[in-house]
Amino acid sequence: MATETAPGTVIADRYELVQRLGHGGMGEVWQARDLSLNVDVAIKSIRMKTQDTTEPRRSVLAYARKEAQHAAALRDHPNIVAVHDVVEHEGLRGR
């Protein structure tokens, strides 16, 4: 997500951030509310360096999309969360 993330921020006109659950090298994981389905979800926001040019950004986003595809393919595994959506918000993707 390109802007500063904070509780109350709405992502892709659908997901309202509730609280940050954790963070790591690639970004942050947030508890969010799916305003369309009225259920709680987890959102992973991808951290981008402001100085990154188009190509490094594409590379990071391609990696994140591939990670989401792998998780979606393994959704029946008891230790893997189900991936339900991949969205782009302000030019960046989250899932």
Side-chain angles (χ1 to χ4, degrees), residues 9-28:
T9 302
V10 177
I11 305 301
D13 295 322
R14 181 171 179 174
Y15 304 103
E16 182 178 4
L17 300 181
V18 176
Q19 67 177 333
R20 189 173 83 161
L21 299 174
H23 60 93
M26 279 192 72
E28 300 174 327

Side-chain angles (χ1 to χ4, degrees), residues 15 41-44 64-77 80-87 94-95:
Y15 304 103
V41 297
I43 290 186
K44 181 177 182 181
R65 182 170 288 280
K66 193 112 180 134
E67 181 184 50
Q69 290 169 340
H70 287 292
L74 297 170
R75 68 179 165 262
D76 293 330
H77 191 283
I80 305 239
V81 298
V83 174
H84 296 283
D85 200 0
V86 175
V87 299
R95 63 188 183 294

Side-chain angles (χ1 to χ4, degrees), residues 25-26 46-54 56-57 60 92:
M26 279 192 72
I46 307 303
R47 181 177 296 127
M48 294 286 187
K49 296 177 184 169
T50 55
Q51 71 270 23
D52 279 352
T53 61
T54 301
R57 285 177 181 264
V60 168
L92 299 178

Side-chain angles (χ1 to χ4, degrees), residues 4 45 65 73 91:
E4 182 66 29
S45 75
R65 182 170 288 280

